[in-house]
Amino acid sequence: MSDSKNGFGIIFRRTWVSIVRNPVCWMGFFLLPLFCFLFLTSMMEDGLPTKVPAAIIDKDGTSLSREVSRTLAGMQMVDIEAIPESYTDARQLVQEGKIFGFFLIPENFQSELLSGRKPVITFYTNMTYYVPASLLFKTFKATALYSKAGIAVQVIQQVGYTENVTPLLNPVSVSTRPIGNPWLNYGIYLCNSFIPGVLQVMIFLMTCYTLGMEIKHGQSRRLLQLADGSVLKALTAKLLPQTIIWTVIALFMEAWLFKFNHFPMNGSWLWITLSQLMFVLAAQGFALFIFAILPNLRLSLSVSALIGILSFSIAAFSFPVESMYGAIGIFSWILPVRYNFLIYVDQALNGIDIFYSRYWFVAYIIFMLIPLPFLTRIKRAFADQVYVP
Amino acid sequence: MKTIKKYIRQLWIVYTREFSQVFHDAGLILFFTFLPLAYPVIYSLIYNPELVRNVKMVVVDHDRTPLSRKFVRNLDASQEIRIIGYAPDLNEARKAMNSHDCYGIMEIPQGFERNVGRQEEANAVMYCDMSLMLRYRGFLVAATNVSQELGAGITTQRVDEIAPLATTLAGGDMLPIENISLGNLESGFDSFIMPGVLVLILQQSIILACGMAGGAKRENRRRLGYNPDNLEPSVAMTMFGQMLCYITILLIPVVYMLHYVPMMFAFPMAGSVADVFMFALPLVISSIALGFIIQGIIRQREDIFVVWVVTSVVFLFLSGLTWPRYAMHGFWRFLSEIVPATWGVEGFIRINTNGGTLAQQHDAYIHLWILSAVYLVIAYAVQRWVVRPAALRESRKVIDG
């Protein structure tokens, strides 16, 4: 009995030593995750990429068209980089990447407008870059609407109409209330999903890496011996140090997001903290499952990398699950990080009752249990101790 | 003359030896074939529906008039929104949203229609879930379009009544506004993100393969066909031989990724094929050179997974695909400039999607060649003073042991 207790202690201690000694472990456990945390939050610090480079083509050159140009130049979101002569010139600027869109005022704009012949204002946005193009779209549209309103006001006031004209110009309007993120901040939107995604892929990789290395370096049989032939004990002793490291990193991640960066935290700290703790165990469970199915260093790492990187897309951090093909969207539900995201949305962003998130926590528990029936496969691989390059 | 012959011989030895090594290494085959062949397809399939349509919305209508009903009908008819039902009050609607049944609520106040009749402003309030920007964007676009369409007719009619000048207006919108999307004509998400991701996958599979090959070299050279007792080809010739071998192997994956994948998924392909491949050459060379540099820190073949896989996320953001490069802060901008994929993504998108020419991408193209040259020089130093001595040490160990 005391011997087996010792065995656990020996593996546990040896794991710490091997982590401390291997520079790759330093990178995998600490440097890379922390760098990504810092990188992602600092990259999107400003919330929105303002001052989108754009251009305006004024083919009319009248007082009215110049007024439209001035309105556009005064908008907060754009930076008028060029005033090209023609559509072709402007398109070339787009192709060279100098501008992300342009605004076109047609010939005879003023005279057609005043004679009621309905000139068309056209704006072009380069949709190969979504974010700047969307911001430009909004600004261009607002400019066109303001100009339209301004012209209508002039017309009306010329005939001596003095009442408040605003409702006249905009009889039906919609005010938006973006819940939880009224600033439309991209950092809040992307960091809260991508940073746990980074943590998940690193947990997957490091779990498979450390277990596979035991086999590669011919240590796995000894590991089983030390644990009295109990694979559960061997794995617990081997993975517990990692659980401790990941828990510290996950708690730091939580503090980094919600304390240091002041991302919205409208719910209870308790649930978010619980979610991070369970997320670490769920991701480890999932990685253990991968390793049990493919107890081969390279294959398990390949699958971990594949699933870990695809998670950023399939877990629907940007493109919603309900818009994906059913046969693909279904895979979002087998990823631990998906539940981390859903709990974050419910509990931190929207701050709703925990009742609505109950299923997500159950999913975590399933991930923790899923490797258990397959542990015998790991035992066999540990005992065989064959390294396939 | 003799030396030239010698070098060509060395190059040939390395070139052929690398082939046999790649094809005897399941890990390298995976990186050179499965990754570039399967990954783009999986990725494109995820986003292939392109547009976010019919996002669910609940209506709270306190007005219950023909105008409010028309407003809701028009919203439902828009591509972006689907009205899944009415809720008696905001609380009930909020419950539906909390239960993840809908992602937006439109609240129409009492007196919506009356306000329009009185020539006052009628204002509805839309609450949006902000977990995903694409849903919010859809809601915003649809609500703006529907309210303006509804309002434009009313405005023209009124202006007509008040101002004699405007009687020439035939009705309808007096100043129509038109938006045209360039490049990605349908504004689809797949067509937006995939061209960039293809370039990233290309760079990453090259570097992963180089890293793994480097680890393998250090671990067990004898088994891989090196004989440490023989004189090796020079460092430079080894590098060029390997590079030529990798470029040969990559020919099919590159053509497939940069030409056939966009074709299969009907991404916009406006550029010239020749320009695309001319542009891809320095991208491949600089990626290989970067891979040779990374070999300096890879001691075992599997290390590359741990060290490199997660950088894909970093490179995705550095490329400016989601967060434009003009808005990046100093250091990150510098970092983005020394990553081959950044220029690769920019140039490929502008040639392939926006239909630009290679000449218009001189900035990115020159940068890629500069990166290739600088990285090759650094790679030479790394190979000569780090990788080769380490590998020789390892093989001596094997012999002595």
Side-chain angles (χ1 to χ4, degrees), chain B residues 94-147:
Chain B
R94 195 66 218 257
K95 253 182 216 163
M97 198 146 142
N98 290 349
S99 314
H100 316 101
D101 291 332
C102 70
Y103 299 97
I105 301 167
M106 182 65 80
E107 191 186 24
I108 302 171
Q110 206 176 1
F112 186 73
E113 191 185 51
R114 197 178 56 210
N115 280 1
V116 172
R118 278 179 173 177
Q119 315 212 343
E120 286 168 13
E121 202 172 344
N123 183 261
V125 181
M126 179 169 69
Y127 299 88
C128 311
D129 174 84
M130 290 303 286
S131 55
L132 297 188
M133 282 290 180
L134 281 179
R135 287 199 195 112
Y136 166 75
R137 190 171 163 265
F139 280 148
L140 190 69
V141 168
T144 315
N145 287 346
V146 167
S147 64

Side-chain angles (χ1 to χ4, degrees), chain B residues 2-19:
Chain B
K2 219 174 178 183
T3 43
I4 294 176
K5 241 184 194 165
K6 191 183 94 192
Y7 282 129
I8 291 177
R9 224 184 96 73
Q10 286 187 357
L11 200 64
W12 179 249
I13 291 172
V14 178
Y15 184 70
T16 47
R17 188 184 64 196
E18 281 304 311
F19 269 107

Side-chain angles (χ1 to χ4, degrees), chain B residues 56-131:
Chain B
K56 294 173 198 164
M57 178 178 256
V58 163
V59 174
V60 181
D61 188 354
H62 298 298
D63 198 40
R64 304 263 173 186
T65 53
L67 185 71
S68 78
R69 280 195 292 273
K70 186 175 181 205
F71 182 58
V72 173
R73 264 200 314 278
N74 288 1
L75 283 177
D76 196 22
S78 72
Q79 181 186 254
E80 292 87 358
I81 296 180
R82 194 173 99 216
I83 304 291
I84 61 163
Y86 282 83
D89 56 32
L90 209 53
N91 263 336
E92 285 299 315
R94 195 66 218 257
K95 253 182 216 163
M97 198 146 142
N98 290 349
S99 314
H100 316 101
D101 291 332
C102 70
Y103 299 97
I105 301 167
M106 182 65 80
E107 191 186 24
I108 302 171
Q110 206 176 1
F112 186 73
E113 191 185 51
R114 197 178 56 210
N115 280 1
V116 172
R118 278 179 173 177
Q119 315 212 343
E120 286 168 13
E121 202 172 344
N123 183 261
V125 181
M126 179 169 69
Y127 299 88
C128 311
D129 174 84
M130 290 303 286
S131 55

